Amino acid sequence: MRFVKAINLGLMATLAGAGCNPSVFDTELDKAPVVAFDTGSAPLILPLSSPPSGGTVAARMLVSRKDKAYLAIADYDKNGKVALHQASDSDLGNLGNTPVQTAAALGPNGPFILGTPSYGLTGTDTAPGRVALMTLNLLPDGTSSLAIQPTLQKTEHYGIAVAAGKVTGDPASPGEFVVVSNDTVQLLGADARTVIASTSCPAVQLYDPTAGAYGYRPVAVANFFAGGGDEIALSGLGHVVFVQYDRTTSSLVCLPTALSQGTMANFGTSLVAADFDGDGHMDLAVGAPPDRAYVYFGPFDTAGDFVSIGSPNSNNFGKRMAAFPKPIGTRLMVADATALVNGRSGAGAVTLLDVARGVSGDAAAITWANLFDSNEDAPTGVFGDSLGSLEFNTQVCSAAGGPNPVPWATSGSEVLTYFNYPGSPGDLRCSN
């Protein structure tokens, strides 16, 4: 077991409570690997809904490697230890034995869409992309298996970004999948095969060749305009536009509303849709590395406002972001892979922020917690390449328990899950 700690930068917090199995970890402020790869790049992680009560599985993730064909379901037990259920050779064959780079889900247990933008592995930048449909088979003991069906193969970088939501606004529909390629966004049915509509917004370059095909995922789907269906937020180079489904013409329409910050070229490197201020409307966080992120408050069909969050002397702040739930509203997670931590340049950190509306200056974003890799043995500049929130079901420990969000972040070839950290309500494995 690899013992590592999460400590609030600049402040050592004292936490009470020993957790449900303290002998597994060395201190109360710790994290445990989800899975560690011996070599290779940081994996893609898609947190799944926590399994229902009655089994032994407390949390679940979908894990893939970016450098080889590998896909698995990672099932946590109550102590944070993980069992991996890998995709079969035939399922990997349905992916063209190509790494899964992007994934999205229509519901807590799927169906899922998997993006393999370099399907074919020709070794060139024009390899055809593909998406596939994945379903979960939930077993009586709480574990699961997966099945993959190939669907659509298109031009280069097809599947560079995928998302899911109720874009058509059809109440009878389970929702739709969104697939992005170089400069086109396509709306697919829940089978990930039926093409509903497609469009290319003028002046939007969705693929940034300087950033790399797999480092740029500029798509978010949410009900930004308080209408009947979700909208698609797309990031070009330096601005964000919105796409809406027109039920009259059965087509995707590029809306005139756009977000930008002057000539800031990296504006839109990452997008996160969530209700950050807790008012019931979806907001949009926009990353603008090297040192800034913006949160725009919805709904966007009214005169909205935004806050700017800066990180002086940063080279990577805002490149990767995610949402982290709280009782009312959502916290913003922002990674800075080159942050200075404990005198180590490039160690990297993830900051969890409470974002306030109608507040200016430093009070617009209050740091709730900072996460980093205290082992200091990972390569520099890689911490937080993937990050997010995992739903941990504490009912595996106690009938009175409930779901708790747990933050996680990648550190090179490892995925570190923070069960206890400054700001957390005790050890999140069995705090209830």
Side-chain angles (χ1 to χ4, degrees):
M1 174 59 70
R2 183 176 185 271
F3 300 125
V4 281
K5 292 181 275 187
I7 304 172
N8 203 5
L9 296 182
L11 176 65
M12 175 64 77
T14 301
L15 299 182
C20 59
N21 191 351
S23 64
V24 176
F25 301 95
D26 61 340
T27 70
E28 295 178 35
L29 292 172
D30 58 30
K31 58 180 181 273
V34 174
V35 60
F37 300 119
D38 292 335
T39 60
S41 58
L44 167 86
I45 309 296
L46 181 66
L48 309 180
S49 178
S50 64
S53 303
T56 60
V57 180
R60 177 172 287 136
M61 280 182 169
L62 180 70
V63 184
S64 76
R65 284 180 63 160
K66 294 182 182 179
D67 58 343
K68 65 181 295 185
Y70 177 91
L71 194 68
I73 297 293
D75 282 338
Y76 289 76
D77 68 11
K78 68 179 182 179
N79 300 318
K81 293 189 176 182
V82 176
L84 288 172
H85 311 284
Q86 299 183 33
S88 66
D89 289 342
S90 63
D91 281 327
L92 293 177
N94 286 335
L95 295 171
N97 292 309
T98 306
V100 174
Q101 303 287 349
T102 56
L106 272 181
N109 294 307
F112 306 87
I113 191 170
L114 308 177
T116 52
S118 58
Y119 178 85
L121 294 179
T122 63
T124 71
D125 198 41
T126 57
R130 189 170 194 168
V131 295
L133 185 73
M134 187 185 83
T135 55
L136 281 185
N137 178 28
L138 301 179
L139 304 177
D141 63 354
T143 60
S144 62
S145 62
L146 55 86
I148 298 171
Q149 300 174 359
T151 55
L152 295 178
Q153 178 179 337
K154 293 291 183 179
T155 56
E156 63 268 22
H157 307 137
Y158 186 75
I160 187 176
V162 296
K166 290 183 173 290
V167 179
T168 65
D170 182 358
S173 169
E176 300 82 29
F177 291 119
V178 174
V179 182
V180 173
S181 57
N182 276 12
D183 59 357
T184 302
V185 57
Q186 191 171 70
L187 189 63
L188 304 182
D191 60 356
R193 182 181 298 274
T194 303
V195 179
I196 298 174
S198 181
T199 190
S200 180
C201 296
V204 174
Q205 182 183 352
L206 298 174
Y207 167 64
D208 178 6
T210 64
Y214 316 122
Y216 205 68
R217 298 177 187 148
V219 59
V221 176
N223 191 200
F224 295 113
F225 288 80
D230 292 342
E231 286 79 28
I232 305 167
L234 298 173
S235 174
L237 298 183
H239 59 279
V240 176
V241 300
F242 295 92
V243 176
Q244 194 173 62
Y245 182 75
D246 187 326
R247 299 187 67 176
T248 301
T249 61
S250 300
S251 62
L252 291 173
V253 178
C254 304
L255 299 180
T257 303
L259 307 176
S260 67
Q261 290 293 327
T263 59
M264 187 179 291
N266 290 332
F267 179 87
T269 301
S270 56
L271 299 176
V272 178
D275 179 11
F276 293 107
D277 60 350
D279 68 350
H281 297 292
M282 294 301 290
D283 311 312
L284 184 66
V286 182
D291 58 1
R292 195 152 295 277
Y294 297 86
V295 175
Y296 293 83
F297 298 101
F300 289 82
D301 47 2
T302 60
D305 54 353
F306 68 89
V307 296
S308 173
I309 305 167
S311 180
N313 304 316
S314 172
N315 294 316
N316 205 256
F317 185 85
K319 184 178 179 181
R320 295 286 184 270
M321 302 191 301
F324 188 78
K326 61 180 182 178
I328 299 177
T330 308
R331 291 186 171 93
L332 177 64
M333 301 179 71
V334 185
D336 183 352
T338 59
L340 176 69
V341 178
N342 290 341
R344 181 176 179 238
S345 177
V350 171
T351 305
L352 279 72
L353 299 166
D354 283 312
V355 181
R357 186 171 188 170
V359 178
S360 61
D362 293 340
I366 303 300
T367 298
W368 187 63
N370 282 298
L371 312 175
F372 62 94
D373 182 1
S374 62
N375 268 31
E376 301 182 355
D377 57 358
T380 60
V382 298
F383 185 80
D385 185 61
S386 292
L387 69 163
S389 172
L390 175 68
E391 186 179 273
F392 190 87
N393 186 359
T394 62
Q395 286 187 346
V396 299
C397 309
S398 168
N404 274 324
V406 179
W408 58 269
T410 58
S411 183
S413 58
E414 293 183 320
V415 187
L416 304 174
T417 306
Y418 294 78
F419 289 100
N420 206 356
Y421 53 93
S424 72
D427 189 319
L428 294 179
R429 286 166 292 175
C430 295
S431 61
N432 288 342

